[in-house]
């Protein structure tokens, strides 16, 4: 059985509703809203009566600050719509509620679905209502929630159709490739795209799908692969002045450390190598025995022995990661 509750902040605690009211009147210039309410709607499944009653008072609401309505909430003539996360998006409120219910009863396996409900009273045109929805609902991660209570919270997803190939990709001329990049909003350069084109033309011998191109575009982005930091620096000009002298001195120190770390090996100079040379030097000197070494040399992690229920296990501790 799915239970539904609405939780609304009492007057004086309703800061979210007041802030949204100000945003609609001041940013969207909608003067017809006379009253605005924000309610948190929870659908709960797989809980017994006692656990539900405890969670209702201690997980989903705070008696001193909240008003709780079960199954239905009084909206009168207000225009009401709900906002929920898209399937697959992480919902922190729902997840936290599940975890808290399991603290109440360790063998519970509850399901919770959350929606933020907006109720507006006043005189609003259809265009103003749509404007409010566009303001409140971010289509990247959210959608308008159905008003009806579901019979079950089990997630049912349709199998998407196959992703079509980008027809003619392997035959694009240079000018067509540049136009394709602009149309698609890709982060990769024209050279990157032509390299990708060569792979699919000569090795895969087919046109790629849009999904494949987007994955490559993301994986090769500056954020993921640090293309700026990994760019080979083959000509460096320090300029003139005191700051230039300090930078040159730091670079000369980097070159000295390279000889101690790499020996006679020839290494390409990059901002990434400059940033990591200090840690590499300390590791080479035996001063960082617990530093984890992997292909992702920019990741900061150390190896530790952890006690897991009386058994010693090897763990990595991440003290800085993106």
């Amino acid at each position: 059985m799915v239970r539904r509750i609405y939780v609304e902040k009492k007057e004086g605690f309703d800061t979210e509703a007041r802030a949204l009211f100000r945003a609609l009147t001041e940013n969207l210039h909608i003067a017809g809203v006379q009253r605005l309410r924000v309610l948190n709607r929870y659908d709960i499944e797989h809980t017994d009566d006692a656990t539900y009653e405890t969670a209702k008072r201690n997980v989903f609401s705070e008696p001193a600050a909240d008003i709780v309505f079960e199954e239905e909430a009084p909206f009168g003539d207000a225009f009401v719509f709900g906002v929920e996360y898209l399937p697959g998006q992480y919902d922190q409120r729902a997840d936290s509620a599940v975890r808290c219910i399991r603290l109440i009863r360790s063998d519970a396996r509850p399901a919770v679905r959350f929606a933020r409900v907006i109720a507006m009273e006043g005189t609003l045109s259809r265009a103003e209502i749509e404007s409010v929805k566009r303001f409140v609902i971010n289509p990247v991660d959210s959608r308008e929630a159905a008003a009806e209570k579901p019979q079950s919270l089990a997630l049912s997803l349709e199998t998407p159709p196959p992703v079509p190939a980008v027809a003619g990709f392997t035959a694009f001329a240079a000018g067509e490739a540049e136009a394709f990049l602009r149309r698609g909003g890709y982060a990769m350069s024209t050279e990157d795209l032509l390299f990708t084109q060569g792979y699919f033309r000569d090795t895969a011998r087919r046109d790629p799908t849009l999904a494949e191109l987007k994955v490559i575009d993301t994986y090769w982005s500056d954020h993921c692969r640090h293309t700026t930091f990994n760019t080979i620096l083959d000509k460096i000009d320090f300029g003139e002045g005191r700051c230039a002298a300090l930078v040159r001195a730091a670079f000369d120190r980097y070159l000295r450390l390279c000889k101690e770390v790499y020996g006679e090996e020839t290494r390409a100079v990059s901002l990434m190598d400059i940033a990591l040379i200090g840690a590499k030097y300390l590791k080479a000197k035996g001063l960082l025995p617990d530093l984890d070494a992997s292909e992702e040399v920019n990741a900061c992690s150390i190896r530790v022995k952890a006690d897991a229920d009386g058994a010693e296990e090897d763990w990595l501790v991440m003290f800085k990661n993106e």
Side-chain angles (χ1 to χ4, degrees), residues 84-92 94 138-143 155:
E84 66 181 2
Y85 283 111
L86 294 170
Q89 285 286 337
Y90 175 65
D91 188 337
Q92 185 174 15
N138 180 359
V140 173
D141 61 14
S142 303
R143 67 183 180 186
L155 189 60

Side-chain angles (χ1 to χ4, degrees), residues 6 22 36 43 61 66 86-87 122 135 158 177 179 182 185 220 252 273 275 281 318:
Y6 293 85
R22 286 196 302 272
L36 186 144
D43 292 333
S61 66
D66 294 321
L86 294 170
F135 184 79
E158 295 182 3
R182 289 194 298 271
W220 281 0
D252 289 341
D273 198 57
Y281 172 77
M318 306 297 295

